[in-house]
Amino acid sequence: MPQKKHPFSVEDLWAIRRLGSPTIAPDGRYACASVTAYDMDKNEGHTELWLFPTDGSKARRLTAGDKDSEPQWSPDGRWIAFTAKRKDDEEAQIYIIAPDGGEARRLTSLSTGTLALRWFPDGKRVAFVSWVWPDLNGDKEQSKRKKEHKDDKVKAHLSERREYRFWDHWLTDGRKPHVHAVDVATGRARDLLAGTGLALQPWEPSAEHFDISPDGRELALTIDLAPEPRMMNSADIVVLDLDTRRHRVLTSESGLSDEHPRYSPDGRHLAWHSYTLPDVFSEQGRTALFDRASTRARRLAPKLDRATTRLTWAPDGASLYMLIEDRGRQGLFRLGLNSAMPSLVAPGGSVSGFALAREGTRLAFDRATLSRPSELFAISPDGRNERPLASPNRALLARVAMGETREFSVKGWNREAVHVWVTYPPDFDAKKRWPLLHSIHGGPHAAHTDGWHYRWNTQAFAAHGYVVVGVNYHGSSGFGQAWLETITGNYGAKELADTEAATDFMLRQGYIDRERLVAGGGSYGGYMVAFMNGHSHRYKTYICHAGCYDWVSMMATDGYLFFAKELGAFHWDNPARVLKQSPHHYAKRFKTPTLVIHGELDYRVPATQALQYYNTLRAKNVPARLLYFPDENHWILKPQNSRLWYREFFGWIKRYAEPGAARRKRR
């Protein structure tokens, strides 16, 4: 007799083992990925590496560390390099392990730590990024400076930079991200950028931001050449000769921001992404091809009106593999160098990472949907023979009931078509009436995709008894450049019209209870519900997580320089325009009860935004509740904090919109 399934719960959400993006053996027979399991009692995660045969047979654990991440297969297939913190490691170090098992060997012992691994083509060295003080020589001096900072009783930050914080950390200690290399045989590490005056951008540097030429003699780097790095600056592709230590700027005349270089296997070309960043903050970019002999660059697939990410060359150098977001899905595509448009290899859901075997035999990728967390798959490079790989979550997911997901097109602002995802409770019955919960995405230039979200999980919301609606309002990504720009200089208005149109559409279906409408969102989604509080009173309650409340006091954000582009002005140049887009300007109209949530370590939306909003609601005697995390940033990441987040979320909306079905009243 089949086992009865139970509704998906927050406990199930945290019991899921989370898979990282894969790396793949040169012959394509095995994929390797990190697997993270969380312990609610210990309030922490534990990450190991697992091997997944690409024929779909049983997976096996490769490492038994605590924080083993970023696996990268060596070109000859003998080793897998990864980062880990083990034993007395104060910072993450590079380890290597043979794919058939045994003890991992530590390669580095750097006081400044390691991240963003990339093998040299000959397999003798591993490149990586480490944050260093560029005025110091060697790790002994780096270690001494680090200890001095740690032991200093004064913890003040001092800066004259325009941008001195990023997400949840300060950028005032003088360190810069440099590309290093470590010799696999000897363990000797070298700072490849020492003395060059070059450094990667300080905004989450990764292995996407540099590459190594096939002959191993040159680095291609994403560099902000301005005297002071800024998020709104343009970057350039700079190549560094590792023998002479001389560098050249390849893109000084492009007039674009050029990033993420990738050498072709034969060394003839470089591919990268280009953005008109100084002019359009929301620009989705395009893929460029650079001929190293002629030094000419051209745009690939110029008619492609979508963003591309994660460029990877085919072994023959005739095409590129990439991820493309399109209308609420992100798939894996291949683009020939002379093709007009890319061709689909593996459809979304949401594919977030992939790896192509060096011999070109197999691709491994991870994919999630609104109904399934990330799982691994293998496929032929031409898109045939897709096969699911062993899943560590198969047994757990077999025991839970997931709600159905559907997608709709509604007529939003100016009656323009707007894409909408809807997730239904697992016991949904269209003959009954259900409460509606808007889950409004952030960004604003992001999107609801057919993917899995751990912090705003639609299945967890739906299992609680709500029909969950995700609107890809004007300005969302995946619908073309013009759509991205439709909200520039007029935040709130079109997005509100789109959200209201989706509510009206759902009410016309006959199974939504108009007396139980709820809306919640995080970041820009939090901004939206605060904006809605001054414009729409048909929702019974709002949930505002990390929401932008006052565009004037939002000058404290780490990204304040984007205001002139996105809002259309700084507040001192055009106060009326900025106030029109600011929720606080409509405070006199606030009357909807609101749960306000924020983290103290959030520098993107400073925590005082929540306090201002909450204080305003209480001053107006509007029912409100404040959930404030002193140890979280823009996201709620710790297991027990997340459990509390969901508990408060459901407890609050239940006060105003009872979950579950009710029979329709006869007319």
Side-chain angles (χ1 to χ4, degrees), residues 14 165 186 305 308 321 354 368 399 407 416 462 509 535 616:
W14 279 97
R165 304 197 298 182
T186 66
D305 188 21
T308 64
Y321 289 86
F354 69 94
R399 297 192 298 268
E407 56 186 316
E416 294 176 358
Q509 307 313 301
H535 291 82
T616 301

Side-chain angles (χ1 to χ4, degrees), residues 402-587:
M402 296 291 187
E404 181 186 0
T405 62
R406 303 176 195 169
E407 56 186 316
F408 300 97
S409 179
V410 305
K411 294 180 179 179
W413 178 86
N414 200 31
R415 298 189 64 77
E416 294 176 358
V418 173
H419 181 257
V420 178
W421 287 106
V422 180
T423 302
Y424 294 87
D427 59 345
F428 177 73
D429 182 348
K431 295 179 181 179
K432 299 178 180 179
R433 288 193 182 275
W434 298 81
L436 179 148
L437 167 59
H438 273 291
S439 177
I440 304 177
H441 75 70
H445 307 301
H448 286 292
T449 62
D450 185 15
W452 189 262
H453 204 300
Y454 283 97
R455 296 184 301 277
W456 287 75
N457 189 271
T458 57
Q459 288 292 344
F461 295 157
H464 227 73
Y466 296 88
V467 174
V468 185
V469 178
V471 180
N472 282 322
Y473 50 71
H474 281 74
S476 299
S477 59
F479 299 85
Q481 184 60 43
W483 186 262
L484 281 169
E485 295 182 43
T486 52
I487 63 172
T488 302
N490 190 26
Y491 273 9
K494 295 176 183 178
E495 305 93 296
L496 174 58
D498 295 342
T499 303
E500 294 285 58
T503 300
D504 292 337
F505 172 84
M506 295 301 294
L507 287 169
R508 289 195 297 270
Q509 307 313 301
Y511 48 74
I512 296 298
D513 185 347
R514 66 177 61 252
E515 298 302 319
R516 291 187 288 163
L517 305 178
V518 179
S523 194
Y524 192 85
Y527 158 80
M528 277 305 303
V529 293
F531 187 85
M532 290 165 68
N533 208 340
H535 291 82
S536 179
H537 301 307
R538 64 172 167 175
Y539 299 92
K540 298 304 176 182
T541 189
Y542 293 122
I543 302 93
C544 177
H545 174 99
C548 312
Y549 171 68
D550 176 357
W551 285 124
V552 178
S553 61
M554 269 290 288
M555 288 296 292
T557 178
D558 62 350
Y560 66 95
L561 291 173
F562 88 97
F563 288 175
K565 302 293 183 183
E566 284 291 280
L567 298 178
F570 287 117
H571 65 274
W572 55 84
D573 290 326
N574 193 336
R577 184 169 196 173
V578 173
L579 287 175
K580 180 183 176 183
Q581 300 170 74
S582 187
H584 88 283
H585 186 56
Y586 305 97

